[in-house]
Amino acid sequence: MDHEQGGPPADVRPPEVVQHWIGGAATPGGSARRADVFDPATGEVARQVVLAEPSDVEAAVAAAAAAFPAWRDTSLTRRTQVLFRFRELLNARAPELAAIITAEHGKVLSDAAGEVARGQEVVEFACGMPHLLKGAFTENASTSVDVHALRQPLGVAAIISPFNFPAMVPMWFFPIAVAAGNAVVLKPSEKDPSASLWLAQLWKEAGLPDGVFNVLQGDKVAVDGLLTHPDVASVSFVGSTPIARYVYETGTAHGKRVQALGGAKNHMVVLPDADLDLAADAAVNAGFGSAGERCMAISAVVAVGGTGDELVSRIADRAGKIRTGDGRRGCDMGPLVTRAHRDKVASYVDAAERDGASVVVDGRQVSPDADGEGFFLGPTLLDRVPTTSSAYTDEIFGPVLLVVREDTYTAAVDLVNANPYGNGVAIFTNDGGAARRFTHEIQVGMVGVNVPVPVPMAYYSFGGWKSSLFGDTHAHGTEGVHFFTRGKVVTSRWSDPSHAGMDLGFPTND
Ligand code: NAD
């Protein structure tokens, strides 16, 4: 496990009240509503964030709509130059952003730095937009008739993001949206809003015209305003499944293009021929990394054919060595994002115990390396969890790893495929044929073979199946480019200077 030291440099501490960013400047907007933003490691209120009223939604969308035509008509060369500058600035100042993430989310600094790096990969992908937007051309499709296809930006793109990746998840979308010529309104999570403002300032330094990238702080009022606003063309949402479903249904009912990524329950299937040390390392890293607050975290380990006892013992051994505490102190695992969330996660451990699971490692007893009353729950390992227990059926989103046991490969696959979620899954085996069969028949969008967190590279697309994604299009990669643009096909005739005469029949080709 990677350790890094140090807190946020004083000059990058977020302001006392985190504001909107509209038309190229921070603004408090017109709302008196505020939400507390915590330092999860100490439990203290660190600052507040403004919560938008409909008039603030109006202002943000108006700024984006006003900036869109000129940005759309800015040459690809110039647009891409802004993307390159943004990349350079982010490379130079990534530690500042990581520190802001740790201060409000709680994840350890090395993990926050990893989040920034994965977001940066999408910026780098979007730097290739001139190539990605190349269309098609057919000369002489019919006599003297040429056909070409192009893709154009949509207009105002709304991005609504969750608390668990305050930088990376917005960056799954906005580099591509901006590079393709759209204007953006980002509505970050109100739990850790400061990263979005820092990114907005970076865009300004990179030379992005005012109004092309806006940040609207808020809650359901802001989301509903964006989903129903006539000038919003598309909505990219990431969050829990019930809200994702709501966003998809409301947004599409209001004529918007919507991609809504939801929750997860990721399984890791361990076959008897697997390297059990590799599998135990993977289960611990993927189950407890970021305190389990990742949509690609492993939640359930499926031990197949008698591997259970040995696997549980090796996972327990590793989990017992994890140091939980303030993410700025070089610990392995930080706190959960809020007290309410910490208590909800702990309640799943209580429920599993009541339902007959054995608590092999109990994170409820943790003594964290931190000052104050932070929102800590230590790594927790539950064995023989009944699949009827809420700990198995619900997304927990915390440092709780469940082990369920199945006798056969087929039973393990059936278990995974019966789950309503389909975000990520992993198989651990040394049998290439079994792995190949698994990748073919598993009903999940992102699959790892001896890789526990199979997050696709930026040039592939990220997205789950079933209740983990509503809409047709996954995030980033070519699907992302497709989402933020729409196709147009142009048929042109530049014939010899002669008049072909009138013909009211349907055009056919010759
Ligand atoms: P959340 O659903 O509570 O919030 C997501 C966004 O929706 C936030 O911006 C929030 O302000 C807004 N929101 C909350 N309640 C709303 C409501 N009633 N109406 C309208 N908008 C509302 O999710 P979260 O707790 O911030 O994030 C964790 C969830 O996100 C987990 O379920 C996790 O699996 C999921 N997630 C999924 C992916 C993925 O790629 N599939 C990635 C990251 C996180």
Side-chain angles (χ1 to χ4, degrees), residues 9 15 40 54 134 144 181 185 199 229 246-247 280 288 300 321 352 358 382 386 392 409 413 440 456 473:
K134 275 196 302 191
S144 297
V185 178
L199 288 162
H229 198 294
Y246 167 77
V247 164
F288 303 130
K321 294 180 182 143
S358 48
L382 303 173
Y392 178 79
Y409 164 88
V413 168
H440 177 69
T473 318

Side-chain angles (χ1 to χ4, degrees), residues 161-164 187 190 220 237-240 262-263 295 395 397 462:
S161 56
F163 81 83
N164 68 318
K187 206 300 284 174
E190 61 275 42
K220 180 172 169 55
F237 172 90
V238 181
S240 58
C295 65
E395 178 183 36
F397 221 57
F462 183 110

Side-chain angles (χ1 to χ4, degrees), residues 159-165 168-169 172-173 187-192 218-224 227 237-244 246-247 260-265 293-296 337 341 395 397 421 423 446 462-464 468-469 475:
I159 298 167
I160 301 163
S161 56
F163 81 83
N164 68 318
F165 284 110
M168 184 189 77
V169 164
W172 281 351
F173 306 102
K187 206 300 284 174
S189 169
E190 61 275 42
K191 296 190 178 105
D192 44 15
D219 52 13
K220 180 172 169 55
V221 174
V223 172
D224 286 347
L227 291 177
F237 172 90
V238 181
S240 58
T241 286
I243 312 292
Y246 167 77
V247 164
L261 284 69
K265 191 79 183 177
E293 290 173 326
R294 290 181 186 144
C295 65
M296 292 292 276
V337 70
H341 186 55
E395 178 183 36
F397 221 57
Y421 296 107
N423 213 43
M446 293 171 283
F462 183 110
S468 293
L469 189 142

